[in-house]
Amino acid sequence: MINVKDLVKIYEGQVTVHALKGVSFKIEQGEFVTIMGPSGSGKSTLLHQLALLDKPTSGQILLDDIDVSKLSEHEKTAYRLKNLGYVFQEYALIPELNAIENTYLPLMLLGARRKEYTRASTELLEKVGLGNRVHHLISQLSGGEQQRVAIARALVNKSKTLFADEPCANLDTENKGIVLRLLRQLCNELGQTILMVTHELEQREFSDRVIWLRDGIIEKEEIISKEVRDSALREEYQVI
Amino acid sequence: MRNDFQAAIFLVYKYITRGNKGTLILTIIVTTLAFVQINFISGVLSGAIELAHQQAKDNYVSNIVIQPGKDEDYIKQVPLLKNKITSMPGIISCTSRYTIGSNISYDPDKNGKDVKSISWPIKSINPKEEMRVTNIQNYMVAGKYLEESDRDQIMMGKEISGGFGASLEVQSLKGASVGDEVTVYYRNGVTRDYTIKGIYSVDFPLSDMAVFVTEKEMESVLGVHNRASEILVKTNQVHTEQYYIQALRENGLDKEDIRPWTDFFGLMAGLTQTFGIIKRIVFAIGLVVAGVTIFIVIYIATIGRRKQIGIMKAIGMKERIIIVSYIFLAFFYAILGISLGIVLLEVLIKPYFISHPLNMPVGKVSLMIIQGELIASIVCMFVVSIIAGFVPSWRVTKENIIKAIWG
Ligand SMILES: Nc1ncnc2c1ncn2[C@@H]1O[C@H](COP(=O)(O)OP(=O)(O)O)[C@@H](O)[C@H]1O
Ligand SMILES: [Mg+2]
């Protein structure tokens, strides 16, 4: 569960940017929420604060009732490793590791046994449709495949919450469909909370709810009906 | 903790086996060359210093020199004394010499014009004994070594005769050769003519600036018997010179003036000292240059992975693991660079210099790697590589994740 209260983020610098100007919302466990808004509206900034990659200027973030501002840097690192998954816009994999090694890295860091993390990551790679790419190097994978490895990595620790910042931005239509359906499926099957940023309108149809941002404040919220979601999930639906 | 260590090892292994081979090879080459460079230059200087010392002991004054005590012109009862000395443990042999000032003149055209003349002490040797103490007999470049019965023969180093690539031509007889005649005006008034029997060159100026006649001849010039101006003592070098000097004193030589070879090193002592200082400076600079080079190479490689480090932090990798993995990587470069460097030095460079020594004013110098210095350079390389691995990765991990990934 994510509970955000009056979140403010100001970037100090040559020009001071008020990226978030007091944002509050709540997301329940197992919800798939899309954050939408024009470029520069603060979507990525919001996700960075929630995923503990950055420190807000003020306001409160509660992740499962833990006030994350009370955590030290080390505790935040440990929290990310254990409870969060993050999918970056540009695949963000480690080039010296192959698909399965990239995937199992978080589990390895958590101290899992070799057998355990190999099995878990093989299963996940199969789930994201890369069962036949397990030992491929990153450079041998297409953009869509790389993004799916990144998703597998974000899931391998059985994270409660998955953050994805424009995960489809660099993908072609076919791969966009694959990734979005995958996210929806994960939410349904594993009860994962998913927070996805996008600025492409159709992509929101895979989620339960949309938070619209504009100039660092919430403009509106939108509930996606089950009918829209189901039609988006149909095979022939083309994500442009 | 063990887990972190394993993760760091895992990462390093992958960086090395799957990372950019060009960077890997370049870094190792740089490390190797840096290491070789430090040890090479100081190896040449050590070789020169060591050779100078060796030359002094082998071809100049041996290990210990005994001279007459205060107010004495000569050491007396020399044969007895020599027997006593050689029977002492650790003493290999000894030889006695007379020394007297003289003026040597050489008239190449035998017409009184263009006479070359120098003031230089003449020493006497007992050839059989002398050969067991110094090695000059092995360095004859013209003619022959003196024999015990020679009376009108003289032997000199190339710096006195001139020629044979002598370096101090100004003071020499400027090209006197074997068979030529010289006239010696001894300080005590005696004048004798000699034929040059042999010229030697040990390539060590202190040794090559000497003139010898036989002991028999000298005793007739001086009108004395069984005496000596100096006794050179060759030890087995198991102990320091001071140890043997002490032993000699305890053995009854309490009035004589006994000194180690280093006291006769004169100008050379200053020179080798200067070499020693230069060596230390070059060594230090070499270490700094090698350190900076390795640091820069690793620094650039690490900064180039800023984004990757940001990503690793974002997925929850401890900073400690990241830093340790980069230190391990730098360590790996150091181990390979040092190993290759040692192989290069021992297998290629050292044998090359042994067969192609450098001609220096102290003789033919080859490379001498002093173990202590080698170890010091290895330790320094490791320390530097730890710093080079630590500083950039520490800096990047301290950075804001967002900045590391997108900044
Ligand atoms: N690190 C930063 N330093 C300064 N300004 C930033 C930084 N990151 C983002 N901004 C600014 O904050 C605003 C919101 O950015 P961002 O959250 O990336 O928007 P979005 O993801 O919605 O396109 C923009 O005006 C952007 O220029
Ligand atoms: Mg963005």
Side-chain angles (χ1 to χ4, degrees):
Chain A
M1 193 194 63
I2 302 169
N3 197 346
V4 178
K5 290 176 193 161
D6 209 19
L7 198 66
V8 172
K9 176 68 186 180
I10 301 166
Y11 290 110
E12 305 284 357
Q14 283 178 328
V15 254
T16 307
V17 180
H18 293 258
L20 297 173
K21 301 171 184 167
V23 173
S24 306
F25 59 85
K26 234 177 162 174
I27 294 172
E28 297 300 333
Q29 181 63 38
E31 243 193 312
F32 185 167
V33 174
T34 312
I35 297 169
M36 295 215 56
S39 180
S41 56
K43 306 184 294 294
S44 295
T45 302
L46 176 59
L47 221 55
H48 295 159
Q49 316 308 312
L50 297 182
L52 315 187
L53 300 179
D54 203 0
K55 251 199 193 127
T57 309
S58 67
Q60 199 181 37
I61 299 169
L62 298 173
L63 298 180
D64 286 331
D65 297 324
I66 297 171
D67 182 350
V68 297
S69 68
K70 302 245 159 63
L71 300 179
S72 71
E73 280 305 315
H74 287 298
E75 286 167 333
K76 280 186 194 170
T77 304
Y79 192 91
R80 283 198 300 273
L81 181 62
K82 231 172 138 181
N83 302 304
L84 306 181
Y86 201 100
V87 179
F88 298 85
Q89 178 177 330
E90 65 294 310
Y91 332 124
L93 298 170
I94 296 168
E96 287 96 349
L97 305 185
N98 65 23
I100 191 168
E101 289 159 354
N102 263 289
T103 309
Y104 67 54
L105 189 57
L107 266 192
M108 186 189 210
L109 296 174
L110 279 168
R113 292 174 173 283
R114 190 188 179 83
K115 223 166 142 184
E116 206 179 314
Y117 61 63
T118 317
R119 191 176 44 80
S121 41
T122 311
E123 269 172 24
L124 264 173
L125 285 172
E126 276 164 7
K127 196 175 195 75
V128 300
L130 293 175
N132 54 348
R133 297 276 190 282
V134 172
H135 295 289
H136 279 51
L137 283 176
I138 298 314
S139 55
Q140 297 164 338
L141 298 176
S142 74
E145 289 168 336
Q146 288 186 39
Q147 196 59 303
R148 280 182 274 158
V149 173
I151 291 171
R153 179 181 65 190
L155 295 171
V156 77
N157 56 354
K158 301 214 163 58
S159 55
K160 290 202 197 87
T161 311
L162 180 73
F163 298 97
D165 192 352
E166 311 217 19
C168 300
N170 296 329
L171 303 183
D172 59 22
T173 308
E174 193 192 341
N175 275 303
K176 275 179 187 165
I178 293 173
V179 167
L180 290 169
R181 283 191 186 90
L182 182 65
L183 291 177
R184 181 71 248 175
Q185 192 190 352
L186 292 168
C187 177
N188 291 349
E189 291 174 8
L190 305 174
Q192 201 118 36
T193 310
I194 298 182
L195 226 74
M196 178 178 81
V197 165
T198 178
H199 62 267
E200 291 176 75
L201 216 51
E202 313 86 345
Q203 292 186 15
R204 79 192 200 287
E205 296 175 4
F206 290 83
S207 66
D208 303 316
R209 182 154 66 103
V210 187
I211 295 173
W212 290 82
L213 277 186
R214 178 177 290 273
D215 288 337
I217 49 168
I218 297 181
E219 189 184 32
K220 61 179 179 191
E221 292 202 21
E222 179 192 359
I223 306 287
I224 303 293
S225 68
K226 195 173 175 332
E227 294 78 60
V228 174
R229 232 172 19 238
D230 287 345
S231 80
L233 281 168
R234 284 199 325 270
E235 289 285 328
E236 60 276 16
Y237 183 89
Q238 286 275 317
V239 190
I240 305 144
Chain B
M1 193 63 210
R2 212 182 113 219
N3 193 28
D4 293 356
F5 184 80
Q6 281 172 344
I9 292 281
F10 169 77
L11 287 175
V12 177
Y13 178 71
K14 298 298 174 185
Y15 292 157
I16 293 166
T17 52
R18 300 231 188 94
N20 186 313
K21 292 285 178 295
T23 312
L24 179 71
I25 291 168
L26 185 77
T27 313
I28 291 169
I29 288 176
V30 166
T31 317
T32 305
L33 292 182
F35 180 74
V36 167
Q37 181 255 154
I38 305 171
N39 286 290
F40 173 71
I41 297 179
S42 86
V44 169
L45 293 173
S46 298
I49 294 169
E50 174 61 21
L51 181 66
H53 291 172
Q54 206 54 51
Q55 291 273 41
K57 286 184 274 184
D58 288 348
N59 300 318
Y60 184 45
V61 291
S62 196
N63 302 96
I64 290 162
V65 180
I66 304 170
Q67 289 176 326
K70 255 200 200 131
D71 308 323
E72 299 276 346
D73 288 338
Y74 297 109
I75 306 167
K76 293 187 185 111
Q77 297 199 298
V78 169
L80 221 74
L81 207 56
K82 285 197 284 194
N83 273 340
K84 197 154 132 190
I85 293 169
T86 26
S87 67
M88 281 171 60
I91 304 292
I92 292 173
S93 59
C94 66
T95 187
S96 61
R97 292 169 164 188
Y98 289 102
T99 306
I100 179 171
S102 83
N103 217 297
I104 306 165
S105 86
Y106 169 52
D107 182 4
D109 309 321
K110 299 190 197 314
N111 58 6
K113 288 185 211 160
D114 198 23
V115 176
K116 286 157 183 113
S117 164
I118 56 168
S119 245
W120 204 255
I122 298 220
K123 287 175 187 279
S124 73
I125 53 170
N126 176 333
K128 266 201 196 126
E129 263 179 23
E130 180 75 23
M131 280 193 244
R132 272 182 252 132
V133 176
T134 61
N135 290 333
I136 290 171
Q137 72 273 12
N138 299 326
Y139 295 93
M140 303 308 296
V141 286
K144 287 199 167 77
Y145 198 74
L146 291 175
E147 274 163 70
E148 213 154 346
S149 57
D150 288 336
R151 292 296 303 270
D152 53 357
Q153 312 270 330
I154 195 165
M155 179 173 87
M156 54 184 67
K158 68 170 177 195
E159 298 294 351
I160 300 297
S161 68
F164 304 103
S167 48
L168 311 162
E169 291 278 357
V170 233
Q171 298 178 40
S172 76
L173 300 174
K174 302 206 166 59
S177 44
V178 169
D180 287 349
E181 248 180 36
V182 295
T183 306
V184 174
Y185 303 91
Y186 287 98
R187 176 100 6 115
N188 64 357
V190 177
T191 302
R192 297 263 163 108
D193 287 338
Y194 295 111
T195 307
I196 300 177
K197 182 172 187 185
I199 297 172
Y200 66 86
S201 159
V202 302
D203 277 325
F204 184 62
L206 284 175
S207 307
D208 288 339
M209 284 192 290
V211 185
F212 297 105
V213 296
T214 59
E215 188 172 69
K216 248 196 192 103
E217 167 65 11
M218 188 64 102
E219 287 190 339
S220 98
V221 168
L222 298 176
V224 296
H225 195 55
N226 287 348
R227 304 197 164 181
S229 308
E230 60 187 26
I231 296 175
L232 310 188
V233 181
K234 185 180 173 108
T235 72
N236 61 7
Q237 305 196 50
V238 171
H239 302 283
T240 62
E241 271 71 25
Q242 282 313 321
Y243 171 91
Y244 297 107
I245 291 172
Q246 191 57 36
L248 286 166
R249 291 223 168 92
E250 280 165 12
N251 214 354
L253 283 87
D254 43 4
K255 285 188 277 299
E256 287 75 8
D257 182 17
I258 312 177
R259 299 177 191 220
W261 61 273
T262 42
D263 278 20
F264 298 83
F265 218 33
L267 244 176
M268 271 292 170
L271 203 72
T272 55
Q273 230 166 36
T274 311
F275 264 38
I277 293 167
I278 293 174
K279 192 177 83 173
R280 252 165 277 147
I281 294 170
V282 168
F283 193 74
I285 293 175
L287 277 180
V288 171
V289 171
V292 170
T293 316
I294 295 168
F295 184 83
I296 289 172
V297 171
I298 296 177
Y299 192 91
I300 290 171
T302 310
I303 294 297
R305 293 185 203 241
R306 234 174 118 211
K307 179 171 177 171
Q308 197 174 314
I309 291 175
I311 291 164
M312 295 198 289
K313 270 181 71 184
I315 67 170
M317 190 181 289
K318 288 180 202 158
E319 290 172 15
R320 182 163 77 197
I321 298 178
I322 298 169
I323 293 170
V324 167
S325 74
Y326 279 92
I327 291 176
F328 281 169
L329 186 62
F331 237 76
F332 171 79
Y333 294 139
I335 289 174
L336 238 73
I338 289 167
S339 311
L340 284 176
I342 290 175
V343 169
L344 213 65
L345 282 169
E346 294 291 334
V347 175
L348 231 74
I349 299 175
K350 232 164 104 179
Y352 176 85
F353 274 91
I354 287 171
S355 55
H356 302 84
L358 290 169
N359 267 316
M360 288 176 58
V362 290
K364 290 194 179 358
V365 172
S366 67
L367 211 59
M368 178 166 151
I369 306 224
I370 295 174
Q371 199 150 36
E373 286 172 2
L374 189 75
I375 291 167
S377 68
I378 291 173
V379 170
C380 285
M381 295 285 281
F382 277 123
V383 171
V384 163
S385 69
I386 290 174
I387 297 170
F390 174 77
V391 173
S393 58
W394 175 78
R395 276 193 47 183
V396 175
T397 52
K398 282 293 160 231
E399 223 175 20
N400 180 296
I401 296 178
I402 304 298
K403 240 173 132 184
I405 301 180
W406 291 284

